Amino acid sequence: MSVSFLVEAHDMPNDNVAMAAEVEEVMTPDPVKIEPLELHDMINGLASWYGADFHGRRTASGRRYNMNELTAAHKSLPFGTLIRVVNEKTGHAVVVEVTDRGPFIKRRVIDLSKAAAQKIGVSVSPVDLEGLTPEQVSRFYASNDSAVIGITSDMSIVVFPNNTLTDFREADSYSKAVASLKAGEVVVVKTSEKGKPSYAIARIAQPDELAYVFQ
């Protein structure tokens, strides 16, 4: 859409006629084009959890297991993958980071940390899963320079236009970022030079301008 204005010289003194000028055409910017974020299709099944007996032990990724962080074990997805887990019975959701391998019991598809299981009320329960691998994060940013991937406090995965976020601050890990969230903030999922996810926290400046929400 374009708008042009013309300053008319009617009834103006002759000396001021020269001051009348046509205002240059103003072009409104085109809407920001954002490529959709494709989430990894996953097999749904039963979720279980593991806790104090494994707390402090090394996981398959080399990290120490902390039952108070939002992590999970999965049989095959790359470490660093983010999985949105929804309790089929309650609809409660949590986003966890894959740091370990398992579970190795029939029909179980994911083993949650104690904190993640408590967040959605899981013991051994049916869940729906969606995954966001490090490769998918890298592909998204390769085709989008005007948007970022975010995770909201209600555990939705959202794509935000850059101009809707402000006050960025770095976070050491995904779990620490979630734990530090304040009202009106989101966890920003970024990608490093090595292709591994990194995280920040940002404030939502224009909450009505969300582009895509995956729920």
Side-chain angles (χ1 to χ4, degrees), residues 101-115:
R101 289 291 177 239
F104 301 107
I105 298 176
K106 189 176 181 180
R107 296 183 60 215
R108 296 188 187 183
V109 294
I110 193 168
D111 224 358
L112 301 174
S113 66
K114 180 180 179 180

Side-chain angles (χ1 to χ4, degrees), residues 45-153:
L46 296 176
S48 51
W49 64 278
Y50 60 130
D53 289 346
F54 296 88
H55 187 73
R57 294 188 186 183
R58 285 208 181 274
T59 62
S61 67
R63 285 172 51 176
R64 297 280 182 185
Y65 173 64
N66 185 334
M67 65 182 183
N68 301 310
E69 295 183 341
L70 298 181
T71 60
H74 189 272
K75 295 174 185 176
S76 59
L77 284 176
F79 297 129
T81 295
L82 296 175
I83 301 178
R84 187 170 187 266
V85 185
V86 181
N87 186 328
E88 289 186 357
K89 294 180 179 179
T90 65
H92 295 159
V94 65
V95 177
V96 295
E97 181 184 10
V98 175
T99 61
D100 206 357
R101 289 291 177 239
F104 301 107
I105 298 176
K106 189 176 181 180
R107 296 183 60 215
R108 296 188 187 183
V109 294
I110 193 168
D111 224 358
L112 301 174
S113 66
K114 180 180 179 180
Q118 288 179 334
K119 192 171 181 66
I120 62 172
V122 161
S123 177
V124 177
S125 308
V127 292
D128 294 326
L129 306 177
E130 292 179 302
L132 181 62
T133 67
E135 181 183 358
Q136 287 172 298
V137 174
S138 295
R139 281 206 309 265
F140 175 82
Y141 285 117
S143 58
N144 289 285
D145 58 6
S146 56
V148 297
I149 302 168
I151 298 172
T152 62
S153 58

